[in-house]
Amino acid sequence: MASTENQGQGNDQGGDPDRDDDNDDNQGDDNNQGNDDDQGHDGDDQGDSNHHHDPPCYCRGTLIRAERGEVCVEDLAIGDRVLTISGESKPVKWIGKRGYSGQFIAGNRTVLPVVVRAGALAPDIPARDLWVSPWHALLLDGALVPAKLLVNGQTILQPEAVDQVEYFHLEFEAHEVIWAEGAPAESYVECDNRQGFHNAHEFAALYPDDRRASFGRCLPVLEPGTAELAAIRDRLFERAAALGHSATADPDLHLVVDGTIVAPRLIDGRYTFELDAPTHEVWLASRCGVPAELQLLSNDRRCLGVCIEQLVLRDAHLRVEISPAHPSLCEGFHEDERGVRRWTNGRGWIPERFLRAFTGGFTIEVRCLPPLPRYLLNRKSIDIPKHFSRLVA
């Protein structure tokens, strides 16, 4: 990742970005057991209002297919002709710019860019990694799909932080689908968001009589929670598997007891762990993942491990049952849900107060509800291009 000194430019480079309202500990009602139709948990600001306020933009370095060849988006100028998906070339009407210093947007998924890895959509599409703003839409199955809704933790990713990010939007006389890194993607469409660019005053000076209607999209935009989006995401998971990205339905639940891994016996959803001696530290450890990335339609942004229904510690003389609603289950656990279940974050701590009751070997039983449908294997870090450290002048 590029390393630069943050220069405090979150305000003069496009205004204060709205903080993402994601809260990893929010609970839903019926949508917390890893089902692909989970919809109600943690809305993540995915409604249509964000389409209006977050302009679709390309990151510095994105190659745009112009009449004179592929040109970096920052090197295009007003009047340059860009090829559209129709085969016609259209002149650029305006180029908006905005940029942020990383210290202002760390963890803010409404602003942080999304990368669509080379070949993620289809063979050679995109031809190279494509970096766009979160709500920038790509053309898939005849509809425009915001990149943020395609993030799958494998081939389409969103980093938690970048040192700097610069966004460039390309506007034409009408909303267009153009070619960016060989993938069909939208141009800018005015949706009451032009003031989000630090050079917005230029447009008013150039086109004082512009009276075009807002929200004039050339194609429909898919919304969260639709069957069409689920079908596209399912196909992209298949594409990721074909590219060698592996996943498993096994949460690999185990204990870490005083630093040593203890494997379970699994029978009918009950994990049984036999401990030969008393202990002072026990962790419930497992794989984990974000449902919004791993499922077809969830908007749950929490990092989830396994869903605990019951914990039992016992020996020949004593049995201790721990309800998911017990308030001492806090470190490594999310809030309990309806008092009947509680997700770990992949490493949940069993409080020592329960362990002290046993002076010899004992058994720990963990009853789990169905896990996530998939957990990613061999996750790789996101390489951030070096030009993300260069700010708009």
Side-chain angles (χ1 to χ4, degrees):
M1 174 175 175
S3 178
T4 63
E5 181 180 356
N6 290 325
Q7 300 177 28
Q9 301 199 27
N11 295 338
D12 59 358
Q13 298 286 339
D16 283 331
D18 293 332
R19 285 297 303 172
D20 195 1
D21 289 334
D22 295 340
N23 183 335
D24 284 349
D25 287 329
N26 290 344
Q27 291 81 47
D29 290 332
D30 297 318
N31 58 318
N32 297 295
Q33 297 188 38
N35 296 323
D36 274 345
D37 58 353
D38 293 347
Q39 297 291 321
H41 184 92
D42 187 3
D44 192 28
D45 287 332
Q46 292 189 11
D48 189 63
S49 61
N50 265 323
H51 298 317
H52 303 170
H53 298 297
D54 184 54
C57 301
Y58 297 101
C59 293
R60 172 178 285 276
T62 300
L63 290 177
I64 303 297
R65 192 175 300 172
E67 203 171 57
R68 57 188 168 102
E70 291 196 319
V71 181
C72 288
V73 64
E74 66 271 20
D75 294 331
L76 288 169
I78 293 174
D80 281 346
R81 301 190 71 88
V82 171
L83 294 180
T84 67
I85 195 170
S86 69
E88 296 182 79
S89 64
K90 301 291 180 69
V92 174
K93 184 180 181 74
W94 187 63
I95 300 175
K97 302 173 185 178
R98 59 184 177 139
Y100 301 103
S101 179
Q103 69 189 80
F104 292 95
I105 61 172
N108 188 344
R109 285 181 290 270
T110 64
V111 178
L112 286 162
V114 171
V115 57
V116 183
R117 292 298 192 202
L121 306 180
D124 299 320
I125 301 177
R128 293 161 297 273
D129 289 357
L130 171 61
W131 289 83
V132 295
S133 58
W135 287 105
H136 196 125
L138 308 175
L139 178 61
L140 294 168
D141 294 357
L144 294 171
V145 188
K148 183 176 183 178
L149 302 185
L150 300 174
V151 172
N152 61 14
Q154 295 177 311
T155 57
I156 303 174
L157 307 145
Q158 187 174 35
E160 285 294 318
V162 294
D163 289 335
Q164 317 282 353
V165 64
E166 292 175 89
Y167 286 126
F168 298 81
H169 98 80
L170 299 178
E171 182 174 4
F172 301 86
E173 186 61 31
H175 192 215
E176 302 286 352
V177 175
I178 61 176
W179 298 98
E181 302 292 6
E186 69 172 332
S187 68
Y188 172 70
V189 58
E190 204 286 319
C191 295
D192 295 340
N193 53 17
R194 192 180 301 280
Q195 296 307 313
F197 298 98
H198 82 265
N199 62 334
H201 62 282
E202 295 178 356
F203 185 89
L206 289 169
Y207 308 105
D209 299 323
D210 187 85
R211 296 292 184 269
R212 292 173 301 161
S214 299
F215 309 102
R217 294 190 174 94
C218 63
L219 288 166
V221 179
L222 288 191
E223 297 293 335
T226 61
E228 293 83 358
L229 177 62
I232 290 171
R233 287 183 56 82
D234 191 44
R235 188 174 72 249
L236 294 179
F237 279 122
E238 294 178 359
R239 175 67 185 159
L243 292 173
H245 295 272
S246 54
T248 178
D250 177 14
D252 186 29
L253 179 62
H254 55 278
L255 297 185
V256 178
V257 180
D258 295 331
T260 300
I261 293 176
V262 178
R265 289 184 291 109
L266 175 59
I267 302 175
D268 296 331
R270 179 185 288 121
Y271 294 80
T272 302
F273 302 88
E274 303 291 346
L275 306 187
D276 297 330
T279 182
H280 300 290
E281 184 178 68
V282 176
W283 296 85
L284 288 169
S286 71
R287 297 185 174 102
C288 59
V290 177
E293 297 181 0
L294 302 179
Q295 299 177 191
L296 297 184
L297 290 178
S298 176
N299 57 15
D300 187 343
R301 291 293 322 177
R302 296 176 300 168
C303 183
L304 302 183
V306 292
C307 190
I308 305 299
E309 185 178 37
Q310 185 183 49
L311 280 173
V312 176
L313 284 62
R314 60 176 174 81
D315 63 10
H317 309 288
L318 177 66
R319 179 183 177 90
V320 177
E321 295 187 3
I322 307 172
S323 164
H326 200 289
S328 65
L329 296 180
C330 51
E331 185 171 355
F333 288 89
H334 295 283
E335 295 293 326
D336 76 282
E337 298 163 10
R338 293 181 173 180
V340 297
R341 61 185 179 234
R342 187 190 291 259
W343 283 91
T344 73
N345 66 5
R347 191 174 175 88
W349 182 62
I350 298 180
E352 186 179 357
R353 58 179 290 190
F354 298 119
L355 307 177
R356 286 198 301 263
F358 299 92
T359 58
F362 64 102
T363 299
I364 296 180
E365 294 180 353
V366 184
R367 180 175 289 279
C368 294
L369 292 169
L372 297 176
R374 61 177 62 82
Y375 297 86
L376 303 185
L377 300 174
N378 304 318
R379 294 193 69 160
K380 297 180 180 179
S381 60
I382 304 175
D383 295 327
I384 310 296
K386 290 183 178 180
H387 55 250
F388 273 64
S389 66
R390 183 179 176 187
L391 284 171
V392 177

